[in-house]
Short mmCIF file of all heavy atoms in Angstrom, two decimals:
data_model
loop_
_atom_site.label_atom_id
_atom_site.label_comp_id
_atom_site.label_asym_id
_atom_site.label_seq_id
_atom_site.Cartn_x
_atom_site.Cartn_y
_atom_site.Cartn_z
N ARG L 60 -16.76 11.89 26.24
CA ARG L 60 -17.80 11.55 27.22
C ARG L 60 -18.80 10.56 26.63
O ARG L 60 -19.22 9.61 27.30
CB ARG L 60 -18.52 12.82 27.70
CG ARG L 60 -17.69 13.68 28.63
CD ARG L 60 -18.51 14.79 29.27
NE ARG L 60 -19.14 15.66 28.29
CZ ARG L 60 -18.62 16.81 27.84
NH1 ARG L 60 -17.44 17.21 28.28
NH2 ARG L 60 -19.27 17.55 26.97
N PHE L 61 -19.18 10.80 25.36
CA PHE L 61 -20.13 9.90 24.71
C PHE L 61 -19.54 8.48 24.62
O PHE L 61 -20.20 7.50 24.95
CB PHE L 61 -20.47 10.41 23.31
CG PHE L 61 -21.32 9.46 22.52
CD1 PHE L 61 -22.67 9.30 22.81
CD2 PHE L 61 -20.77 8.71 21.50
CE1 PHE L 61 -23.46 8.41 22.09
CE2 PHE L 61 -21.55 7.82 20.77
CZ PHE L 61 -22.89 7.67 21.07
N ILE L 62 -18.30 8.37 24.21
CA ILE L 62 -17.64 7.06 24.11
C ILE L 62 -17.56 6.40 25.48
O ILE L 62 -17.84 5.21 25.62
CB ILE L 62 -16.25 7.21 23.47
CG1 ILE L 62 -16.38 7.63 22.01
CG2 ILE L 62 -15.44 5.91 23.60
CD1 ILE L 62 -15.09 8.13 21.38
N ARG L 63 -17.20 7.18 26.50
CA ARG L 63 -17.09 6.63 27.86
C ARG L 63 -18.45 6.11 28.33
O ARG L 63 -18.55 5.01 28.87
CB ARG L 63 -16.56 7.69 28.83
CG ARG L 63 -16.37 7.14 30.24
CD ARG L 63 -15.82 8.19 31.21
NE ARG L 63 -16.70 9.34 31.31
CZ ARG L 63 -16.34 10.59 31.02
NH1 ARG L 63 -15.12 10.86 30.60
NH2 ARG L 63 -17.19 11.57 31.15
N ARG L 64 -19.50 6.89 28.10
CA ARG L 64 -20.84 6.45 28.52
C ARG L 64 -21.27 5.19 27.78
O ARG L 64 -21.81 4.27 28.37
CB ARG L 64 -21.87 7.55 28.27
CG ARG L 64 -21.89 8.61 29.32
CD ARG L 64 -23.12 9.49 29.18
NE ARG L 64 -23.12 10.48 30.22
CZ ARG L 64 -22.64 11.72 30.07
NH1 ARG L 64 -22.15 12.11 28.91
NH2 ARG L 64 -22.66 12.57 31.06
N GLN L 65 -21.03 5.16 26.47
CA GLN L 65 -21.43 4.01 25.68
C GLN L 65 -20.63 2.77 26.07
O GLN L 65 -21.16 1.66 26.06
CB GLN L 65 -21.23 4.29 24.18
CG GLN L 65 -22.16 5.34 23.64
CD GLN L 65 -23.62 4.92 23.75
OE1 GLN L 65 -23.99 3.85 23.32
NE2 GLN L 65 -24.44 5.78 24.33
N THR L 66 -19.38 2.95 26.42
CA THR L 66 -18.52 1.82 26.78
C THR L 66 -18.86 1.28 28.16
O THR L 66 -18.88 0.07 28.37
CB THR L 66 -17.04 2.25 26.76
OG1 THR L 66 -16.74 2.77 25.47
CG2 THR L 66 -16.13 1.08 27.04
N SER L 67 -19.16 2.18 29.08
CA SER L 67 -19.40 1.73 30.46
C SER L 67 -20.84 1.36 30.72
O SER L 67 -21.16 0.82 31.77
CB SER L 67 -18.97 2.82 31.45
OG SER L 67 -19.75 3.98 31.26
N ARG L 68 -21.71 1.67 29.75
CA ARG L 68 -23.12 1.34 29.91
C ARG L 68 -23.28 -0.17 30.01
O ARG L 68 -22.84 -0.90 29.14
CB ARG L 68 -23.90 1.86 28.70
CG ARG L 68 -25.30 2.28 29.02
CD ARG L 68 -25.93 2.90 27.84
NE ARG L 68 -25.84 2.00 26.70
CZ ARG L 68 -26.36 2.27 25.52
NH1 ARG L 68 -26.96 3.40 25.32
NH2 ARG L 68 -26.27 1.41 24.53
N GLY L 69 -23.89 -0.61 31.05
CA GLY L 69 -24.08 -2.04 31.21
C GLY L 69 -25.55 -2.36 31.33
O GLY L 69 -26.36 -1.49 31.66
N PRO L 70 -25.91 -3.58 31.09
CA PRO L 70 -27.31 -3.96 31.24
C PRO L 70 -27.74 -3.88 32.70
O PRO L 70 -27.00 -4.29 33.59
CB PRO L 70 -27.37 -5.38 30.72
CG PRO L 70 -25.98 -5.88 30.81
CD PRO L 70 -25.07 -4.70 30.73
N ARG L 71 -28.91 -3.31 32.93
CA ARG L 71 -29.43 -3.22 34.30
C ARG L 71 -30.79 -3.90 34.34
O ARG L 71 -31.57 -3.80 33.41
CB ARG L 71 -29.56 -1.76 34.71
CG ARG L 71 -28.22 -1.06 34.80
CD ARG L 71 -28.38 0.35 35.20
NE ARG L 71 -28.81 0.40 36.59
CZ ARG L 71 -28.97 1.53 37.27
NH1 ARG L 71 -28.75 2.68 36.71
NH2 ARG L 71 -29.38 1.50 38.51
N LEU L 72 -31.07 -4.55 35.43
CA LEU L 72 -32.36 -5.21 35.59
C LEU L 72 -33.40 -4.18 36.00
O LEU L 72 -33.16 -3.34 36.87
CB LEU L 72 -32.27 -6.31 36.65
CG LEU L 72 -31.30 -7.45 36.32
CD1 LEU L 72 -31.21 -8.40 37.51
CD2 LEU L 72 -31.77 -8.18 35.08
N GLU L 73 -34.55 -4.24 35.39
CA GLU L 73 -35.61 -3.27 35.65
C GLU L 73 -36.04 -3.28 37.12
O GLU L 73 -36.33 -2.25 37.69
CB GLU L 73 -36.82 -3.53 34.75
CG GLU L 73 -36.62 -3.13 33.32
CD GLU L 73 -36.35 -1.63 33.16
OE1 GLU L 73 -37.02 -0.82 33.81
OE2 GLU L 73 -35.45 -1.29 32.38
#
Side-chain angles (χ1 to χ4, degrees):
R60 287 190 303 266
F61 174 75
I62 293 166
R63 183 179 59 239
R64 279 193 180 96
Q65 293 297 308
T66 303
S67 63
R68 212 174 55 178
R71 295 180 69 176
L72 298 175
E73 286 299 317

